Amino acid sequence: MSREDTRSRLFRAAVELIAEQGFAGTTVDAIAERAGVAKGTVFYNFGSKDALFAALLDHGIQRLALSLAEAAEGPTGASPLARLDAVVLAQLRFFDEYGPFARVLFGEMWRTAWQDAVVRLREGALGVYERVLADAVAAGELRAGFDTGTAATALFGMVLTVSIERRALRPDRPVEEVHATLVELIHGRVAGA
């Protein structure tokens, strides 16, 4: 097994266990057992449980940001709000595929110890939202002076929460149906606009 395969197995095991039991309740022994490797393999690859978790956050955030950035490119000529809708759908699909990572983000990474990861999330994933929203302001689709930073955080958090709720309580509900509802909220149609 290659080092990359081993790291992927450790990431998968760690994210599943941390999503189930929390960071504090997850041991290196349990991660190694779930990954099917010796405990020393965790230390050889990462040095500590904290370092493994930091690398896991970086890996997941990087993949999420890339997925959102690709969606934000949208088809040529797409309006900024159409690109925003595509970013929301990309986030829903990402968390549909990587549900345990969504739970880890929601429950664990906001602790003081992981503030560097929060900064990377802000620059990466939330930054995609913020750039698309800024494009919408520039195009006149959103009012001048619209707070794109707060809106980016709110949209990301909303989609994250809805993703977790869907997987936990309504896994049979199609992602596209959830997306359609979120798009209506985002465009203000619920308020009768």
Side-chain angles (χ1 to χ4, degrees):
M1 176 183 329
S2 74
R3 184 160 193 224
E4 188 59 36
D5 289 339
T6 300
R7 290 173 68 92
S8 291
R9 288 174 69 176
L10 289 168
F11 282 154
R12 189 171 32 260
V15 77
E16 288 170 359
L17 286 164
I18 293 167
E20 293 166 11
Q21 305 172 158
F23 178 76
T26 300
T27 65
V28 171
D29 288 331
I31 293 168
E33 182 180 330
R34 173 104 27 127
V37 300
K39 180 178 177 178
T41 303
V42 176
F43 294 110
Y44 173 76
N45 280 276
F46 298 102
S48 69
K49 182 175 94 168
D50 285 354
L52 167 59
F53 188 60
L56 168 67
L57 288 175
D58 284 344
H59 176 75
I61 290 168
Q62 190 174 58
R63 291 181 74 176
L64 173 60
L66 179 61
S67 177
L68 299 183
E70 288 172 356
E73 291 176 12
T76 304
S79 73
L81 286 182
R83 292 177 22 239
L84 178 63
D85 296 348
V87 171
V88 169
L89 182 58
Q91 185 180 345
L92 284 168
R93 286 182 174 154
F94 183 89
F95 288 138
D96 186 51
E97 184 174 351
Y98 303 104
F101 185 69
R103 290 194 316 272
V104 167
L105 279 181
F106 190 78
E108 295 292 337
M109 78 168 277
W110 307 106
R111 299 176 194 269
T112 305
W114 311 116
Q115 290 306 299
D116 288 345
V118 173
V119 168
R120 285 188 293 283
L121 180 67
R122 174 118 233 2
E123 292 169 350
L126 275 70
V128 172
Y129 273 102
E130 194 163 359
R131 287 186 295 278
V132 173
L133 289 165
D135 291 347
V137 170
E141 292 183 302
L142 296 173
R143 67 174 168 73
F146 184 79
D147 182 352
T148 58
T150 299
T153 302
L155 288 171
F156 181 86
M158 176 179 69
V159 177
L160 174 62
T161 303
V162 167
S163 295
I164 293 168
E165 185 267 350
R166 181 189 157 272
R167 284 185 58 91
L169 303 177
R170 304 189 304 175
D172 56 324
R173 187 165 184 222
V175 169
E176 292 74 15
E177 186 179 308
V178 174
H179 178 251
T181 300
L182 291 176
V183 166
E184 283 189 54
L185 284 170
I186 292 167
H187 289 260
R189 294 185 188 126
V190 171

